[in-house]
Amino acid sequence: MSPTRKPWVVGVSGASGTPYAASVIRALLTAGEAVDLIVSRAARLTILDETGISFRDAHWQADLARWLDVPEEELSGVRHWSAGDFAAGPSSGSYPAKGMLVVPATTGAAAGIALGLSKDLLQRTASVTLKERRPLVLCLRETPLSGTTLRHLVALDEQGAVVLPASPGFYAGGSTARELVDFVAGRVLDAVGVPHDLYRRWSGSLGEAAGTPGRHRESGPRRGE
């Protein structure tokens, strides 16, 4: 490992919404960031169900290239860790990492992280991220939320994590599923200060979305927000 390499850890849990993870990873690589990837066992089933792509440890580069729809040579900045590997680099606080993004995050993963269960490498790395006071973002993809889950999310917020629901903003003018996915991915990156051009930012002028070619007019933020 290069002594200067300091990656963002991206954890993919088993929630529906794997396109969010793909968009975040692509944008991190575009921004020149290194990525350490942890894909939970449940997430592999979700990736297969949502994309038809099998994610295998022995062929992770080829499978990731298919999932992201990029050439394999563009993945030189990615390192993959098996979810069952508790001896992996990110399991230790001494491992150099900028922070962690859990995209998408299941309510089960959120609960495990909030309680410090560390049942797999994803949860262990998130716990390490919190104890080392590094940025941790959980992009929750679930609705409705039970009282128990809400209490777990409050606990995560109190521990310093950013809880970021997968909630697209229509004021950016998105009219396709990909544009709405990219909006959420962009907000994840905003939370940790990584530059991107995944969505058009609100400038304070109504009607801008309507002027974007190929997009329908959407309203801006509601008054009083």
Side-chain angles (χ1 to χ4, degrees), residues 163-174:
V163 178
L164 195 153
S167 178
F170 293 87
Y171 65 83

Side-chain angles (χ1 to χ4, degrees), residues 100-151:
M100 184 176 187
L101 315 173
V102 184
V103 186
T106 63
T107 55
I113 296 166
L115 298 173
L117 298 182
S118 296
K119 74 168 190 175
D120 60 9
L121 181 61
L122 189 155
Q123 291 186 17
R124 169 60 186 169
T125 303
S127 294
V128 167
T129 302
L130 286 174
K131 79 179 184 68
E132 296 295 326
R133 302 297 191 266
R134 297 169 183 160
L136 173 64
V137 179
L138 283 85
C139 183
L140 198 74
R141 217 304 308 161
E142 187 64 82
T143 190
L145 301 176
S146 69
T148 299
T149 295
L150 291 169
R151 285 188 284 273

Side-chain angles (χ1 to χ4, degrees), residues 69-91:
D69 193 24
V70 300
E72 256 186 81
E73 53 266 27
E74 293 186 13
L75 302 178
S76 60
V78 181
R79 185 170 186 178
H80 168 257
W81 302 96
S82 174
D85 184 5
F86 282 91
S91 68

Side-chain angles (χ1 to χ4, degrees), residues 38-62:
I38 304 169
V39 181
S40 75
R41 291 184 175 89
R44 296 168 193 238
L45 297 176
T46 307
I47 292 170
L48 179 62
D49 184 51
E50 295 185 344
T51 69
I53 297 170
S54 297
F55 193 91
R56 303 159 292 176
D57 285 342
H59 306 281
W60 71 267
Q61 285 179 307

